[in-house]
Amino acid sequence: MDLTGDVERGTTERVLTLLGLLQQRPVWTGPELAGRLGVTARTVRRDVERLRALGYPVQASQGVGGGYQLGPGQDMPPLLLDDAEAIATAVSLLAGAGGAVAGAGEAALRALSKLDRVLPTRLRGEVRALADSVVSFDGGRTPVDAEALLILARACRDEVEAGFAYPSHGEVRGRRVEPYRLVASDRRWYLLAYDLDRDGWRSFRVDRMTEVAARAWRFRPRPVPDAATYVQEGVASRVYPHQARFLVHAPAELVRTQIPAAAAVVRPREDNRCEVLSGGANLDAVLMHVLLLGHDFQVLDPPELGQRARELAERLRAASG
């Protein structure tokens, strides 16, 4: 018989139980913990030292009101969650992934992806049912299917192909992709992926996807462009029939506060100037938006837009009387 293995398993289970108790209440006395664990106070002290060696900052104090408590540490150690806590955390993260707080969506999705890796199968149905019942009155971000978002996050994490139906040129077509990154703007979620049928990088709006599924085929990662930059440039210019570049005589930090990220890409230049890249169905409208920023600027591309600016300037001069 392997008594050593049984002892080690018993010790591990007891230490994990001790950690769970310390996470439930602010302070436990030594006799209380010994009673709950069915061991001596000396064993409790040894188990506390084992937790400290693992990075858990267990503090001990003497006297009335003293005892053991789990304090804040330099690094965040793993948490132990019971079923109810795991469900509540997953549902909250699903809600946060669809929220409009700047930066919270990406962090919530990363945390949800980690939790999903260890969430017991028996709890997934409850998480899905509760997530379906969560709604928000904030219309800031376009809503997406939480399950689709999680499927894509898993596929990015596990480096497996994904498939979905997506509207294109007036019809819905199936797409096969190698998913790399999920990117959140202030309004929407996008997937940066390598389109296997079109042999090139593409960005897709998650809210337009249907029949999202991960496939069993793994892929070897390719050199990937910067996800946020690629998606922003696509949203701001590449999706439009016309693109324009401007040199604006103002710092990039200031201009970014004046133009939504989905409307233009702002790149810093020397001498407190910046380059603005934008697109539209009508370049006159793009020109007017840059004019209304209130800064001096020049048209860089296309050349014909510079001529158009001169024509409009003459018309405005004549209108001034």
Side-chain angles (χ1 to χ4, degrees):
M1 286 180 67
D2 185 7
L3 296 179
T4 302
D6 291 340
V7 170
E8 290 178 350
R9 283 193 295 272
T11 301
T12 301
E13 292 172 1
R14 189 180 65 248
V15 170
L16 289 174
T17 302
L18 172 60
L19 177 59
L21 292 173
L22 290 171
Q23 290 177 348
Q24 290 177 14
R25 263 174 43 181
V27 179
W28 290 84
T29 67
E32 285 177 329
L33 290 173
R36 294 292 294 268
L37 297 172
V39 296
T40 64
R42 183 179 181 182
T43 300
V44 170
R45 289 194 295 271
R46 288 177 177 173
D47 290 346
V48 165
E49 289 303 320
R50 291 186 176 99
L51 287 176
R52 288 170 175 165
L54 293 172
Y56 292 93
V58 183
Q59 301 170 355
S61 56
Q62 304 294 327
V64 179
Y68 294 101
Q69 59 181 343
L70 193 61
Q74 182 176 359
D75 299 314
M76 184 175 176
L79 298 174
L80 285 181
L81 303 175
D82 60 27
D83 287 4
E85 292 167 339
I87 292 171
T89 301
V91 172
S92 299
L93 290 171
L94 284 168
V101 178
E106 299 95 323
L109 190 59
R110 288 197 304 270
L112 182 60
S113 180
K114 293 176 182 178
L115 182 61
D116 173 71
R117 188 187 290 273
V118 296
L119 194 67
T121 304
R122 67 178 186 277
L123 301 182
R124 296 183 187 276
E126 295 185 53
V127 169
R128 188 176 298 109
L130 282 173
D132 290 342
S133 68
V134 175
V135 297
S136 172
F137 59 80
D138 183 1
R141 177 171 289 176
T142 303
V144 298
D145 179 61
E147 183 68 17
L149 203 59
L150 187 53
I151 289 172
L152 294 172
R154 289 193 203 111
C156 292
R157 179 194 69 197
D158 299 336
E159 297 177 348
V160 296
E161 292 182 14
F164 48 85
Y166 198 78
S168 177
H169 303 294
E171 62 178 322
V172 178
R173 303 177 181 178
R175 310 297 280 265
R176 296 184 310 116
V177 302
E178 296 175 355
Y180 280 80
R181 298 289 187 276
L182 282 162
V183 180
S185 73
D186 56 346
R187 294 181 56 198
R188 297 186 178 95
W189 279 99
Y190 296 88
L191 173 70
L192 173 65
Y194 192 86
D195 193 318
L196 295 170
D197 295 321
R198 290 156 180 79
D199 196 24
W201 293 101
R202 297 290 188 277
S203 60
F204 302 92
R205 278 176 50 176
V206 178
D207 60 288
R208 289 182 175 175
M209 297 178 182
T210 55
E211 303 174 21
V212 180
R215 302 176 181 272
W217 299 290
R218 295 182 62 87
F219 60 85
R220 180 176 296 178
R222 308 169 188 265
V224 60
D226 181 79
T229 300
Y230 185 92
V231 172
Q232 186 192 10
E233 290 181 353
V235 171
S237 63
R238 283 195 301 267
V239 297
Y240 294 102
H242 303 288
Q243 291 82 40
R245 286 193 309 126
F246 304 89
L247 180 63
V248 179
H249 294 239
E253 294 78 9
L254 173 60
V255 176
R256 287 193 183 108
T257 66
Q258 298 177 292
I259 306 178
V265 178
V266 181
R267 297 169 178 160
R269 294 277 291 264
E270 70 284 350
D271 300 330
N272 280 329
R273 298 183 297 175
C274 64
E275 184 178 312
V276 173
L277 173 66
S278 187
N282 184 336
L283 285 184
D284 280 1
V286 178
L287 185 62
M288 288 301 102
H289 280 122
V290 176
L291 173 66
L292 293 175
L293 294 177
H295 311 298
D296 292 338
F297 69 94
Q298 284 87 43
V299 176
L300 298 178
D301 285 308
E304 59 269 21
L305 187 58
Q307 176 60 36
R308 180 60 175 162
R310 286 188 288 272
E311 293 172 0
L312 292 175
E314 291 297 329
R315 186 177 301 174
L316 289 171
R317 186 177 296 111
S320 68

